[in-house]
Amino acid sequence: MRYTTEIQQKMLERKNLIPLIEKYNTPMWVYNADIIKTQIKKLKKFDIIRFAQKSCSNIHILKIMQRNNIKIDAVSLGEIERALAAGFQPKDHNIVFTSDILENDVLQKVIELNIPVNAGSVDMLKKIGKISPQYPVWIRINPKFGDGHHLKTNTGGENSKHGIWDPLEALAIIKQYNLNLIGLHIHIGSGVNEKNLYQASLAMQKYAIQINKKIQFISAGGGLKIPYTSLDQETNISNYFETWNKTKKIISSRLKCPIRLEIEPGRFLVAQSGILIAEIYSIKKIGKNTFILINAGFNDLMRPVLYGSYHKITVLHKNPINEQKSSVIQGIIAGPLCESGDVFTVTKTGIICHRKIPQVHIGDYIIIHNTGAYGASMSSNYNSRPLIPEILYKNNKFKLIRRRQTIQEMLNLETSL
Ligand SMILES: *Cc1c(COP(=O)(O)O)cnc(C)c1O
């Protein structure tokens, strides 16, 4: 984590950011390619790293993954098309489609390209089995427990819609249609505690032995933690790998077949690479509170509103003289949306709270950190605000990787009918 921060520090230097802001205007996302590469290296012991692209789905980020031998998880037709546009070839299991439903247009596309399907429901298996016997499938097992940084990101147990509850029922369908079961997958949530990640590996052993069919892959899913606060710890990768590697060996010897161990992180690879830069437009007192209003809202970064998430926030003063001053204020940092919940500084339960920041003025910039995962990819056009640009920092240079959407482009969906 500290190392990651050091890499980021270089990108964040004033002499880099001020010209960048002058060129592209606020608000904008910026990603640091070196941090993504640093995170990738930490996982190199796993046989296969599969990027959960929903966390950050820009084609140019996917290209970084592709160049670093990372495979891709797609959860929609749009994500399959993104992977293809980034240069992923639909062979060698480079793309796997994971979902709990199989829409007709997706079904057509996966069959056309022979993309393996990771089925989170028995209905998916039936649907593909009827059309395409012997199709390569995974099953995503709901191991009857889950975990996550928030209830909404817990993907196991009976309050989650995800995964197959009874793998033996899935097995019967696989037999009925002669489907080719190639892998078993367990993903219990996003932002998962280590104890539960280990439990998931025990569950994988249990189910693999119960299913007792030769397979090629097991996937530990994603869910790895990154430090959002100074108290948080990144998931201990060497312990995590050892646990799952042991599981892989046990399954391999019980089923008498070689197994490849996959991991499927989203957040871990990209969260710390990204920042959101916005500009202060108003500093106003409302009763005892000071609201600092910026030009990015929850249409851009949804995590605080959706999950009560904490993001580190720093200030970049427009006037460098102000960087020397040491006075601090307590402010509530909020966006431009016509909705009072549009606040970035909230408690875990979503109550607005103050954040201590340096004294700021209108025109200064607010940087919201660790927004590379579930930032841009979750953005919307709420309040009819266009999607904002994404920029990649690589080899000490900034490159535009998504331009700002125009208002006309938004309106076109309704006017050009
Ligand atoms: C979201 C998701 C992931 C990634 O979760 P992270 O917490 O970002 O690592 C992995 N696998 C599946 C199936 C997912 O839906």
Side-chain angles (χ1 to χ4, degrees):
M1 157 63 176
R2 304 305 148 221
Y3 179 56
T4 310
T5 314
E6 278 165 32
I7 302 176
Q8 195 70 324
Q9 222 48 52
K10 190 153 174 273
M11 178 181 96
L12 295 173
E13 281 174 18
R14 175 178 192 87
K15 67 175 184 354
N16 289 332
L17 294 189
I18 295 288
L20 178 73
I21 293 167
E22 282 167 0
K23 184 160 181 192
Y24 294 112
N25 295 323
T26 58
M28 66 168 108
W29 305 100
V30 189
Y31 308 102
N32 187 336
D34 287 334
I35 293 190
I36 298 175
K37 286 179 200 156
T38 304
Q39 293 302 97
I40 290 172
K41 282 198 195 105
K42 292 180 186 170
L43 301 177
K44 64 179 184 295
K45 279 188 163 178
F46 288 85
D47 299 324
I48 295 170
I49 307 171
R50 188 175 295 286
F51 178 51
Q53 71 167 289
K54 70 171 193 275
S55 59
C56 187
S57 44
N58 186 297
I59 291 167
H60 302 271
I61 299 291
L62 303 188
K63 281 185 179 170
I64 297 179
M65 302 300 174
Q66 206 254 346
R67 282 197 290 268
N68 284 275
N69 285 323
I70 295 201
K71 295 182 187 283
I72 203 92
D73 184 52
V75 300
S76 69
L77 184 56
E79 287 197 356
I80 291 174
E81 294 290 1
R82 281 183 176 280
L84 297 172
F88 284 90
Q89 299 290 321
K91 58 170 190 191
D92 297 336
H93 308 269
N94 284 333
I95 307 173
V96 166
F97 177 75
T98 298
S99 185
D100 297 280
I101 65 169
L102 201 45
E103 292 151 280
N104 296 334
D105 49 359
V106 179
L107 178 66
Q108 227 178 343
K109 192 78 190 178
V110 294
I111 289 178
E112 178 194 325
L113 300 175
N114 201 33
I115 292 173
V117 168
N118 179 13
S121 70
V122 171
D123 296 311
M124 285 178 74
L125 294 171
K126 285 183 188 161
K127 186 151 184 172
I128 199 148
K130 275 181 194 155
I131 295 188
S132 188
Q134 280 143 35
Y135 203 81
V137 293
W138 291 62
I139 56 177
R140 173 177 182 174
I141 299 167
N142 180 330
K144 306 187 170 51
F145 67 92
D147 189 26
H149 64 80
H150 188 275
L151 264 184
K152 291 183 183 132
T153 69
N154 178 329
T155 61
E158 62 183 13
N159 290 329
S160 162
K161 65 177 178 163
H162 292 291
I164 288 176
W165 193 252
D166 178 4
L168 296 181
E169 187 192 353
L171 197 58
I173 300 299
I174 286 169
K175 285 203 174 118
Q176 182 184 340
Y177 293 104
N178 200 19
L179 288 165
N180 177 15
L181 179 65
I182 58 172
L184 299 179
H185 175 276
I186 290 182
H187 170 73
I188 61 168
S190 198
V192 172
N193 280 320
E194 266 163 59
K195 194 172 117 270
N196 288 313
L197 289 173
Y198 300 152
Q199 284 306 115
S201 83
L202 295 179
M204 180 63 87
Q205 277 177 43
K206 183 183 87 177
Y207 288 114
I209 290 164
Q210 183 186 33
I211 290 169
N212 195 26
K213 258 181 94 87
K214 288 197 198 311
I215 47 172
Q216 300 172 41
F217 309 99
I218 57 170
S219 173
L224 305 185
K225 282 191 161 181
I226 65 106
Y228 284 101
T229 75
S230 56
L231 301 174
D232 292 345
Q233 293 279 339
E234 188 169 277
T235 301
N236 182 322
I237 298 300
S238 73
N239 288 350
Y240 185 49
F241 173 76
E242 289 312 325
T243 308
W244 273 91
N245 202 40
K246 214 161 71 190
T247 292
K248 164 182 136 171
K249 286 179 179 158
I250 291 169
I251 295 174
S252 176
S253 84
R254 285 292 291 264
L255 300 179
K256 300 194 176 53
C257 60
I259 301 269
R260 301 181 76 196
L261 174 60
E262 278 202 19
I263 188 171
E264 195 178 60
R267 183 189 317 279
F268 186 86
L269 294 180
V270 291
Q272 297 159 95
S273 78
I275 57 169
L276 172 59
I277 306 179
E279 190 171 338
I280 298 174
Y281 273 74
S282 172
I283 301 169
K284 62 177 178 179
K285 289 252 182 249
I286 302 279
K288 61 185 184 323
N289 292 326
T290 302
F291 280 87
I292 297 162
L293 302 187
I294 61 177
N295 60 348
F298 79 65
N299 59 306
D300 300 304
L301 175 65
M302 213 179 172
R303 297 189 73 252
V305 168
L306 191 61
Y307 307 129
S309 300
Y310 175 93
H311 284 276
K312 180 180 146 187
I313 289 174
T314 58
V315 169
L316 175 68
H317 290 99
K318 194 172 187 102
N319 184 344
I321 304 279
N322 291 325
E323 305 255 312
Q324 317 306 328
K325 299 182 183 159
S326 60
S327 52
V328 292
I329 59 164
Q330 295 268 4
I332 296 168
I333 297 169
L337 300 182
C338 222
E339 178 142 346
S340 58
D342 182 29
V343 172
F344 293 108
T345 48
V346 291
T347 65
K348 278 184 180 165
T349 53
I351 313 281
I352 61 168
C353 63
H354 294 86
R355 190 72 69 82
K356 202 193 259 182
I357 57 165
Q359 177 71 53
V360 285
H361 311 87
I362 288 171
D364 287 341
Y365 305 105
I366 289 285
I367 300 178
I368 309 185
H369 297 257
N370 302 317
T371 49
Y374 308 107
S377 66
M378 275 191 168
S379 300
S380 77
N381 284 135
Y382 187 43
N383 275 210
S384 291
R385 298 181 69 88
L387 297 176
I388 64 177
E390 292 176 278
I391 284 136
L392 182 64
Y393 178 69
K394 210 176 112 185
N395 303 328
N396 303 318
K397 285 196 198 69
F398 292 101
K399 187 178 150 218
L400 185 67
I401 58 171
R402 180 179 75 183
R403 64 172 173 78
R404 192 181 300 279
Q405 187 182 31
T406 66
I407 288 175
Q408 193 56 49
E409 280 170 317
M410 265 190 308
L411 303 190
N412 278 350
L413 294 174
E414 297 146 52
T415 54
S416 61
L417 294 172

